Each structure stands twice: as structure tokens, then as C-alpha cells.
Amino acid sequence: AARAPEPVSPGPTSETDPLRELWRRARAEPGARLWPIGLALVVQAALVPLEAMLLRGLLGVERELALEYQRLGLGVALGVVFALGLCLEAQCASALRQIGRLLSVRLHVELLSQLPRLPDDYLLSRPSSDMAARGNTIHLLRDLPAAWAQAARALLHVAATSAGLIWLDPAA
């Protein structure tokens, strides 16, 4: 005869911060290598002032770069910098999507494995729409790693821009 699964408590036994728990789970994913993503974000942030200086150089290019090969060199430098930024962005986006998918699938599997072990009293005390909404919103966690990276990118861009301004005018 088949045994019924043992009931489990409906909530966590200790108070944990949900974002901290999700960060821990994202780092623990087997395919999640976060240090290359972080390095790529730092390099992208360092490219921001470089791109700004190169684009600023385009404004007076006809006066400063009189020879054709000098203009060609500037064009190649611009192309290389922008292509590097684009490649880094594509790799980051791909890795973040993969981490988000892994995190979402793992949490979905955990939810589905815990549901049969929940006591009937707990399930009956909740509206079925609440339980369905919880199960159907797990897919939103796929975008969480990208949101974390966007926040880190914004902070790094502010830091890189500030460092560039300080370097240009240290007396200010």
C-alpha cells in the first residue's frame, strides 16, 4: 500500500530575507558562474567614459585629424570599443537568462514537491486563487538576475562617470 506523504509546516522555520535567500539560491545553481558576469559589468562600466571621450573626439575630428589614416584609426577604435561593449552585453544577457531559468525551474520543482506534503488545513484555509497565483508567478523570478545586474550596472556606471569627471577636473 502506498504511504501518504508526511505533512510539513507551511512556512519557513526561521526568518530569512527573501532576496537574500534568492541570491543564495542563484549563486548555488550548478551552471551559475557569477564572477564572469560581474567582471563583464565592471568592464562595461569602464567603457562608458572611454566611449564618451571617443564620441567627444568626433566633434572636432576634421580639425585635429587631418590625414585620412588618422580618421580611419578613430573609426576603427570606435568600432572596436562599441563591438566589445556589445559582445559583453550579449554574453551577460545570455548568462543572466540562463541563471533566471535555472532558478525559476528549481523553485517551481520545490513548490510542486512541497504541495502534497502540506497539511489539508493549510490548503483549505487559503483561497484556491491564492495558491494558483503563487504557483503561476514563479516564472517572474526569471527576470530577477537581470534586475540585479541592471542595478549593479547603474551603480558601476555612476562610479565610472564620477571617476572620469574627477580625473578630468580634480580641483572641482
Side-chain angles (χ1 to χ4, degrees):
R3 289 178 78 185
E6 283 188 36
V8 294
S9 64
T13 57
S14 65
E15 290 295 320
T16 59
D17 181 25
L19 287 177
R20 189 168 298 183
E21 178 66 19
L22 286 171
W23 175 252
R24 184 189 64 76
R25 287 174 182 253
R27 281 193 345 229
E29 285 297 331
R33 288 187 219 100
L34 298 179
W35 70 267
I37 296 170
L39 180 64
L41 290 175
V42 169
V43 170
Q44 284 177 327
L47 286 177
V48 168
L50 179 62
E51 290 171 354
M53 286 188 293
L54 286 172
L55 288 174
R56 169 61 182 94
L58 285 177
L59 294 177
V61 73
E62 66 274 352
R63 284 181 307 210
E64 301 295 326
L65 304 179
L67 301 177
E68 190 67 30
Y69 74 90
Q70 292 174 329
R71 292 180 186 170
L72 180 64
L74 178 63
V76 169
L78 278 171
V80 167
V81 168
F82 289 137
L84 177 64
L86 184 63
C87 288
L88 287 172
E89 179 60 33
Q91 291 298 320
C92 277
S94 174
L96 290 168
R97 276 194 310 272
Q98 178 187 9
I99 292 170
R101 281 192 304 265
L102 291 171
L103 183 63
S104 174
V105 167
R106 177 147 333 232
L107 288 172
H108 209 103
V109 167
E110 286 182 25
L111 173 70
L112 293 176
S113 69
Q114 292 291 332
L115 276 178
R117 297 179 3 190
L118 287 174
D120 287 339
D121 295 339
Y122 177 76
L123 293 173
L124 293 174
S125 70
R126 301 256 181 240
S128 58
S129 61
D130 177 49
M131 298 305 287
R134 289 178 189 218
N136 290 330
T137 55
I138 289 179
H139 75 279
L140 296 175
L141 293 176
R142 287 182 185 175
D143 297 333
L144 190 61
W148 286 336
Q150 186 65 32
R153 184 180 289 120
L155 289 173
L156 289 169
H157 282 201
V158 167
T161 304
S162 299
L165 289 173
I166 291 170
W167 178 60
L168 287 174
D169 191 9

